[in-house]
């Protein structure tokens, strides 16, 4: 059976972080601009892009099983492109091990997909894992469609080299997109329907650029500018590194209404000894001091973090300090992972690797502590009045789902549309969501701006 050439339909499957989701959306826009249509639900696509993640697990192994599953009953295979961080890290190996893969494209090269598809349709197998200086962002098509919440990548790459992490190798050096291009993309997203924009970067708070007056500015200045876009009601940013948390950005949390009271600031561990081995270049104390300064300007801020348990050499006493830190902060939510040795990173060859069952047990205890914190944070929201940005319909008739300013899921019954900001009183709280009751007769529709 002939395999597919000159694809007419596509599907992009993204795994991993929000930046991959963003890249997946941009790839989809690029393919649509080439006249290739998104495959309908349940329909086989001629072209499948697997937009992979390499941060944890045996992600590469998962890619091979995903590739195997793409083979159809009639023996044909779609045109398969492997994109994302596994492509960057293990491109050559994928080409050797998986003959059905015709394209391997790294996260900084996917703007070249149209040429690659032409070459693959002509029978070639092509790999592009360059990290070109001329950025993909200059050539990608302009944004035309958006839901009420949108992602906008403002910064990529990482120079921090935490000893467990592949990102500096797969995404390359820290790079900030230019100020004017970001303001332009944000405006287009808003015209296309976005009411909330989340600024993305592996080190988003390391973003730096030049404003229209030629001044060197940081992320808070960009946020201030975006907050002036009419109709854009909410701005968020993620992920931040403690060392790039400037006073200017902290102050912005007290001054810009559109900047939501939520901060995702990974700490990874509660033991200074482990933090040092991780090359985090901050301590528990310096991390807590940052949170104190943020709370001073924005007392209701919801805090979020990332944790790794079972880093090489982590003892039970180290781990106890992580549990203490979680309770000391009172997180609104957290992500927590067992340590996963990544090929090529310094930690992968460190002695004292922690056994899997010990890691699993620590993860369970950590997640119990995080859930307790999250439930307490949610319970403290009962009685508050806040706006909910409506994202979709709920399961019940007349039910709507959306997010509070503190990024909690809220459901309510009432009159609304997707994209509305509906003022509700929070009446009850569960571990993962809140129930609200609308208190204003008139939801604020897209024409009324809630920007600062
Ligand atoms: N093992 C486990 N977790 C990891 N992370 C990054 N690298 C690893 C790894 N090798 C986690 C960190 C990071 C988040 C995005 O993923 O907590 O903040
Ligand atoms: Fe990875 Fe550390 Fe960079 Fe975050 S700061 S992307 S954990 S190396």
């Amino acid at each position: 059976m002939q395999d597919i050439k000159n694809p007419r339909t596509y599907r992009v499957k993204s795994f991993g972080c929000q930046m991959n989701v963003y890249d997946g959306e941009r790839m989809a826009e690029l393919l649509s601009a080439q006249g290739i249509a998104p495959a309908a639900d349940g329909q086989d696509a001629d072209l499948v892009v697997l937009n992979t993640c390499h941060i944890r697990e045996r992600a590469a192994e998962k890619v091979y099983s995903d590739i195997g599953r793409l083979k159809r009953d009639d023996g044909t295979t779609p045109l398969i492109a492997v994109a994302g961080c596994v492509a960057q890290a293990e491109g050559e190996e994928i080409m050797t091990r998986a003959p059905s893969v015709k394209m391997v494209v790294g996260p900084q090269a996917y703007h070249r997909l149209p040429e690659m598809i032409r070459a693959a349709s002509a029978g070639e197998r092509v790999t592009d894992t360059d990290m070109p200086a001329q950025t993909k962002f200059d050539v990608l098509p302009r944004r035309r469609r958006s839901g009420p919440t949108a992602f906008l990548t403002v910064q990529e790459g990482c120079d921090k080299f935490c000893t467990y992490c592949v990102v500096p190798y797969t995404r390359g050096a820290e790079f900030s997109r230019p100020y004017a291009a970001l303001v332009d993309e944000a405006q287009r997203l808003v015209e296309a329907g976005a009411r909330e924009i989340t600024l993305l970067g592996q080190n988003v708070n390391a973003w730096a650029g030049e404003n229209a007056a030629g001044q060197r500015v940081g992320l808070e200045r960009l946020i201030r500018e975006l907050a002036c876009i009419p109709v854009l009601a909410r701005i968020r940013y993620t992920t931040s590194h403690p060392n790039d948390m400037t006073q200017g950005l902290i102050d912005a949390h007290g001054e810009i209404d559109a900047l939501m009271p939520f901060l995702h600031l990974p700490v990874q561990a509660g033991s200074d000894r482990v933090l040092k081995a991780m090359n985090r270049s901050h301590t528990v104390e310096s991390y807590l001091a940052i949170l104190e300064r943020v709370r001073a300007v924005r007392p209701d801020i919801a805090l979020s973090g990332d944790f790794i348990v079972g880093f090489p050499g982590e003892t039970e006493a180290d781990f106890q300090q992580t549990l203490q830190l979680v309770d000391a902060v009172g997180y609104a939510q957290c992500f927590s992972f067992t340590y996963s040795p990544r090929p090529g990173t310094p930690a992968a060859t460190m002695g004292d690797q922690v056994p899997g069952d010990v890691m699993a047990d620590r993860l369970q205890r950590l997640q119990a502590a995080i859930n307790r914190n999250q439930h307490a944070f949610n319970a403290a929201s009962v009685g508050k009045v806040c706006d909910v940005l409506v994202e979709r319909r709920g399961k019940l008739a007349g039910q709507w789902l959306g997010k509070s300013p503190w990024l909690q899921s809220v459901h309510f019954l009432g009159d609304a549309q997707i994209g509305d900001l509906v003022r509700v009183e929070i009446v009850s709280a569960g571990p993962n969501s809140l129930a609200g009751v609308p208190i204003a007769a008139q939801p604020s529709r897209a024409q009324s701006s809630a920007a600062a």
Side-chain angles (χ1 to χ4, degrees), residues 53-72:
C53 171
H54 201 231
I55 196 124
R56 282 177 297 274
E57 321 158 341
R58 307 178 74 86
E61 292 309 315
K62 182 167 162 24
V63 175
Y64 293 109
S65 61
D66 285 341
I67 292 167
R69 271 201 297 275
L70 290 174
K71 199 169 179 112
R72 299 176 189 157

Side-chain angles (χ1 to χ4, degrees), residues 165-187:
C165 186
V166 285
V167 166
Y169 312 97
T170 55
R171 291 267 170 175
E174 286 182 10
F175 162 79
S176 293
R177 291 182 65 193
Y179 190 91
L182 294 171
V183 175
D184 183 62
E185 191 169 325
Q187 266 159 348

Side-chain angles (χ1 to χ4, degrees), residues 55-56 164-165 266 268 306-308 337-342:
I55 196 124
R56 282 177 297 274
Y164 50 81
C165 186
Q268 314 295 358
D306 287 348
F307 288 91
I308 297 175
F337 316 99
T338 52
Y339 166 71
S340 161
R342 310 311 296 136

Side-chain angles (χ1 to χ4, degrees), residues 247 249-255 292-299:
Q247 191 57 43
L249 184 55
I250 292 173
D251 289 342
H253 277 281
E255 293 165 4
E292 217 165 279
R293 274 152 57 209
V294 180
R295 277 184 163 142
V297 298
R298 188 77 214 218

Side-chain angles (χ1 to χ4, degrees), residues 279-292:
N279 190 33
R280 286 292 295 178
S281 63
H282 60 78
T283 61
V284 172
E285 194 187 340
S286 67
Y287 176 80
L288 288 172
I290 295 166
L291 300 189
E292 217 165 279

